[in-house]
Amino acid sequence: MKRAVCTVVALALIAVPFKVAAQGKKDRDEILAEMMQKKLKSAHLVLDGVAIGDFKKITIGGKALIKLANSETWQLIRSPDYERHSADFIRATEKLVKKAQDKNIDGAALAYVEMTLSCVRC
């Protein structure tokens, strides 16, 4: 049983680099740059929503950011600091979505600032 678990873990660790290699001839930096562009696009949608009080935009952008933060690409960067900042980002973004769903613009604006600060700290 232990051997089977070790084999599964080893295969999982090997799969990520092959997944990256399988995405064409893109290198790690190009893949991360594309992820950052997606992140910026969703963050801009959130900011637009906060600026005009559009809770639907805030929710859509926030959910897209959470989905991205849980993606394989996001997980390409590994370090204890990055994982802590990533967890802070996800928490702040989940709070943002909750405040938008509650139609609380002040709470959503504050959560947006928290989310943004988690990016800057990282």
Side-chain angles (χ1 to χ4, degrees):
M1 180 68 172
K2 273 184 158 180
R3 185 177 179 152
V5 170
C6 289
T7 303
V8 169
V9 170
L11 289 173
L13 292 173
I14 292 169
V16 171
F18 284 112
K19 172 84 172 171
V20 171
Q23 293 183 15
K25 296 190 183 209
K26 296 177 186 175
D27 68 5
R28 182 178 180 267
D29 291 339
E30 289 175 305
I31 292 167
L32 292 174
E34 287 178 8
M35 179 196 64
M36 288 303 293
Q37 287 301 313
K38 290 177 185 176
K39 183 178 174 185
L40 285 171
K41 183 179 177 183
S42 295
H44 286 147
L45 183 62
V46 170
L47 180 58
D48 288 347
V50 169
I52 62 173
D54 186 331
F55 297 110
K56 185 175 181 180
K57 280 187 175 185
I58 298 169
T59 301
I60 291 169
K63 286 183 176 181
L65 287 166
I66 293 167
K67 182 178 178 181
L68 185 62
N70 289 313
S71 72
E72 286 181 24
T73 305
W74 190 282
Q75 304 305 320
L76 286 176
I77 302 171
R78 303 306 293 156
S79 78
D81 283 340
Y82 184 80
E83 289 178 20
R84 182 175 41 83
H85 290 302
S86 184
D88 291 344
F89 176 82
I90 292 170
R91 252 189 315 279
T93 308
E94 288 172 340
K95 183 177 179 181
L96 169 83
V97 170
K98 170 108 173 68
K99 296 297 180 178
Q101 291 170 337
D102 292 345
K103 306 225 183 296
N104 179 343
I105 196 64
D106 292 333
L110 181 58
Y112 175 78
V113 170
E114 291 172 8
M115 181 190 79
T116 303
L117 285 173
S118 73
C119 287
V120 172
R121 288 183 188 117
C122 186

